[in-house]
């Protein structure tokens, strides 16, 4: 009655306080837990081991009794064929099997002891279920004792099995926690490296900014050079010469292709046309034009005169109808050559111009510094992304280790 009243009106039991373990102390705590598990298994094995030792001693004595002739029963019973068969066949086989099963007594740590004990149990059961199942015919008191000893050993082995199974489950939890702790340590190391990488890359990128601005200012303050304008004008003249040549070679190539088809239809040679076509297809004028132009033009004009080759527009008529192809092409080539020579001369002179040299140097330096800055900024972004990924993984693993510790008891790990 008093206990019931105390349960109704007494103070409620408070939940046990959780134990907080610093992150760096967790490995030592896990070692302690493993030692406690080992000690627990040793303690759990104490009683079963004593039972097995007693049972094995009794079994050794029982085997000796099986080796002796039965000490009870009248002569008529002993002479019975079944009894004689047991004594002649089943008894020696059973004794041999039982002694083989007990050749090695269990010793060592719990795992080794358990393995040997389990093998003994297996061997004794096999002997009892084999030839030993007939021993009760001649040994009516000893055979039941064998069955009782098997039950005693089996019960003790089952107790050991339970202890080892529970210890194995506890160890698996510790292994998981240890693995999570190791990975969290690796993440902390990687985070420090990523933070250092970001700082170095950011410092590099920031240090380049004033240098880039200074180079840009110096480049903008360079005095204007007349050579640069001359180069632009010369480049424009080269482009104009190329456009002029394109206006000539396009209609020439069109007529040449139509002439080639007609010559092939007449099975006439077209080798001279091919080299001429290759020349016209080149967008850059070639100085050795017109070396074989005369026979080609003669062939084309013969086709035009026969009416087989029609000139389709004013450009084609000017080039082939009035025979100005060679002169027009050579004029375009000469215009290109002169403009290209002038551009080369101006650029050669620009190579010794101080302002041009300074501009080229500053432009090259700017390109290099901007490339370095871009790489540094990319390294900053990469390091930041790495930190985000590592922090996400750290939070996830922190939740996992908290859950795993809660499965063991009221344990909380103080994560970094």
């Amino acid at each position: 009655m008093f206990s019931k009243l105390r349960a109704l009106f007494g103070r409620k039991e408070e939940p046990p306080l959780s134990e907080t373990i610093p992150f760096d102390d967790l490995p030592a705590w896990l070692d302690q837990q493993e030692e406690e598990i080992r000690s627990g298994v040793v303690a759990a094995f104490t009683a079963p081991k004593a039972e097995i030792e007693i049972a094995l001693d009794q079994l050794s004595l029982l085997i000796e009794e099986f080796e002796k002739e039965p000490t009870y029963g009248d002569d008529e019973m002993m002479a019975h064929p079944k009894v004689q068969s047991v004594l002649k066949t089943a008894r020696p086989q059973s004794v041999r099997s039982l002694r083989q099963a007990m050749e090695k007594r269990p010793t060592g740590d719990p795992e080794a002891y358990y393995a040997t004990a389990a093998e003994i149990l297996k061997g004794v059961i096999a002997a009892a279920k084999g030839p030993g199942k007939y021993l009760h015919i001649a040994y009516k008191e000893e055979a039941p004792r064998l069955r009782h000893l098997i039950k005693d050993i089996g019960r003790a082995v089952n107790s050991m099995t339970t202890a080892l199974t529970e210890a194995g489950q506890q160890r698996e939890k510790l292994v998981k926690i240890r693995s999570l702790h190791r990975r969290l340590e690796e993440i902390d190391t990687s985070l420090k490296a990523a933070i250092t990488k970001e700082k170095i890359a950011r410092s590099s990128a920031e240090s380049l900014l004033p240098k880039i601005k200074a180079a840009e200012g110096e480049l903008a303050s360079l005095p204007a050079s007349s050579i640069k304008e001359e180069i632009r004008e010369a480049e424009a003249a080269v482009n104009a010469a190329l456009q002029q040549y394109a206006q000539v070679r396009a209609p020439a190539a069109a007529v040449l292709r139509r002439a080639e088809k007609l010559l092939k239809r007449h099975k006439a040679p077209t080798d001279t046309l091919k080299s001429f076509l290759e020349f016209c297809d080149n967008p850059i004028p070639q100085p050795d034009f017109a070396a074989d132009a005369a026979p080609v033009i003669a062939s084309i004009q013969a086709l035009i005169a026969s009416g087989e080759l029609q000139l389709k527009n004013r450009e084609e008529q000017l080039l082939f109808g009035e025979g100005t192809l060679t002169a027009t092409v050579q004029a375009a080539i000469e215009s290109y050559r002169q403009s290209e020579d002038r551009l080369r001369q101006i650029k050669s002179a620009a190579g010794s111009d101080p302002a041009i040299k300074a501009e080229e140097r500053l432009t090259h330096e700017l390109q290099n510094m901007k490339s370095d800055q871009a790489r540094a900024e990319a390294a900053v972004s990469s390091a930041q992304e790495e930190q985000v990924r590592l922090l996400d993984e750290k939070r996830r693993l922190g939740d996992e280790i908290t859950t795993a510790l809660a499965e063991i008891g009221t344990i909380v790990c103080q994560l970094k």
Side-chain angles (χ1 to χ4, degrees):
M1 176 64 73
F2 179 73
S3 61
K4 292 183 179 179
L5 289 173
R6 185 167 57 183
L8 287 172
F9 300 107
R11 289 193 309 171
K12 294 182 178 179
E13 293 185 4
E14 296 181 357
L17 296 175
S18 60
E19 178 185 357
T20 301
I21 303 171
F23 181 79
D24 292 336
D25 294 345
L26 191 57
W29 182 85
L30 291 170
D31 293 340
Q32 179 184 350
Q33 295 302 305
E34 289 184 357
E35 179 58 28
E36 289 181 6
I37 291 172
R38 189 197 66 78
S39 300
V41 172
V42 171
F45 266 49
T46 302
K49 283 175 70 174
E51 293 175 7
I52 288 175
E53 293 299 325
I54 292 171
L56 292 179
D57 290 340
Q58 293 178 354
L59 185 56
S60 295
L61 295 174
L62 184 59
I63 293 172
E64 293 178 0
E65 293 182 27
F66 282 139
E67 290 178 322
K68 300 175 182 177
E69 296 297 323
T71 57
Y72 56 89
D74 52 28
D75 293 340
E76 183 180 353
M77 186 194 75
M78 293 300 295
H80 194 282
K82 287 187 176 180
V83 174
Q84 289 298 314
S85 176
V86 168
L87 295 176
K88 182 178 179 181
T89 305
R91 180 179 66 172
Q93 291 178 349
S94 299
V95 169
R96 184 167 56 252
S97 297
L98 289 171
R99 287 200 177 281
Q100 286 177 349
M102 293 185 59
E103 280 180 350
K104 184 179 179 182
R105 291 290 285 254
T107 57
D109 59 31
E111 286 76 10
Y113 191 98
Y114 170 79
T116 305
E119 282 298 315
I120 292 173
L121 176 63
K122 181 180 177 182
V124 172
I125 290 174
K129 286 186 176 181
K133 65 184 177 181
Y134 302 108
L135 290 177
H136 70 280
I137 297 174
Y139 296 90
K140 294 188 177 182
E141 293 182 2
E142 291 86 350
R145 284 166 54 195
L146 176 60
R147 290 195 294 271
H148 286 307
L149 289 174
I150 290 174
K151 288 182 180 179
D152 291 343
I153 298 172
R155 185 169 54 252
V157 169
N158 286 339
S159 298
M160 293 178 175
T161 302
T162 301
L164 288 176
T165 300
E166 292 176 355
Q169 292 171 348
Q170 293 171 356
R171 286 193 179 103
E172 285 180 3
K173 293 177 182 178
L174 297 184
V175 168
K176 179 181 179 181
I177 294 170
R178 199 181 292 276
S179 175
L180 289 169
H181 180 273
R182 187 162 47 248
R183 178 55 189 153
L184 283 168
E185 283 186 321
E186 292 172 354
I187 289 174
D188 285 337
T189 301
S190 298
L191 270 172
K192 290 177 183 177
I195 291 170
T196 301
K197 179 182 176 182
E198 180 189 357
K199 288 180 180 178
I200 293 173
R202 189 183 299 280
S203 175
S204 177
E206 290 174 353
S207 67
L208 286 167
L209 283 174
K211 296 178 182 179
I212 290 173
K213 289 182 179 179
E216 288 175 340
E218 188 178 353
L219 186 62
S221 64
L222 287 176
S225 174
S226 59
I227 294 182
K228 291 177 64 176
E229 183 59 32
E230 292 179 18
I231 290 174
R232 281 193 289 271
E233 291 176 356
E235 289 175 342
V238 170
N239 290 330
L242 288 173
Q243 291 176 1
Q244 179 185 355
Y245 177 67
Q247 292 173 356
V248 175
R249 70 182 186 84
V255 173
L256 286 169
R257 289 191 181 91
R258 296 204 301 274
E260 184 180 29
K261 290 181 180 179
L262 290 172
L263 291 174
K264 286 181 178 179
R265 190 181 302 167
H266 292 296
K267 297 183 180 180
T270 59
D271 293 342
T272 54
L273 280 180
K274 284 183 179 179
S275 59
F276 205 64
L277 266 171
E278 290 174 0
F279 181 86
C280 289
D281 285 338
N282 194 332
I284 305 300
Q286 303 299 313
D288 56 349
F289 175 77
D292 300 322
V296 173
I297 294 172
S299 299
I300 293 172
Q301 287 178 337
L303 291 171
I304 294 171
S306 67
E308 289 187 81
L309 179 60
Q310 301 291 325
L311 300 177
K312 295 184 177 181
N313 51 49
R314 177 65 176 166
E315 288 78 9
E316 293 181 356
Q317 291 174 357
L318 287 174
L319 291 175
F320 293 95
E322 299 179 8
T324 61
L325 175 63
T326 301
T328 304
V329 171
Q330 286 179 334
I333 291 173
E334 182 61 22
S335 175
Y336 172 77
R337 187 189 63 76
Q338 290 179 1
S339 59
E340 183 67 23
D341 287 346
R342 175 167 172 72
L343 176 61
R344 191 179 301 108
Q345 291 170 3
I346 295 173
K347 284 185 174 181
S348 176
S352 59
D353 184 86
I356 296 297
K357 281 186 174 181
E359 181 180 0
E360 290 178 350
R361 175 183 59 80
L362 288 170
T363 301
H364 180 70
E365 291 176 359
L366 266 174
Q367 288 175 346
N368 289 338
M369 286 190 290
K370 287 182 177 180
S371 296
D372 292 342
Q373 186 192 35
R375 281 192 292 271
E377 289 176 346
V380 170
S381 298
S382 175
Q384 289 175 337
E385 291 172 0
E386 178 71 0
Q387 290 173 58
V388 170
R389 185 188 67 78
L390 289 170
L391 287 171
D392 287 344
E393 185 180 1
K394 184 174 182 177
R395 280 188 287 270
R396 178 176 60 79
L397 295 182
D399 293 340
E400 287 187 26
I401 204 170
T402 299
T403 302
L405 285 168
E407 292 177 359
I408 297 177
T410 54
I411 310 298
V412 177
C413 182
Q414 189 176 5
L415 299 174
K416 293 181 180 178

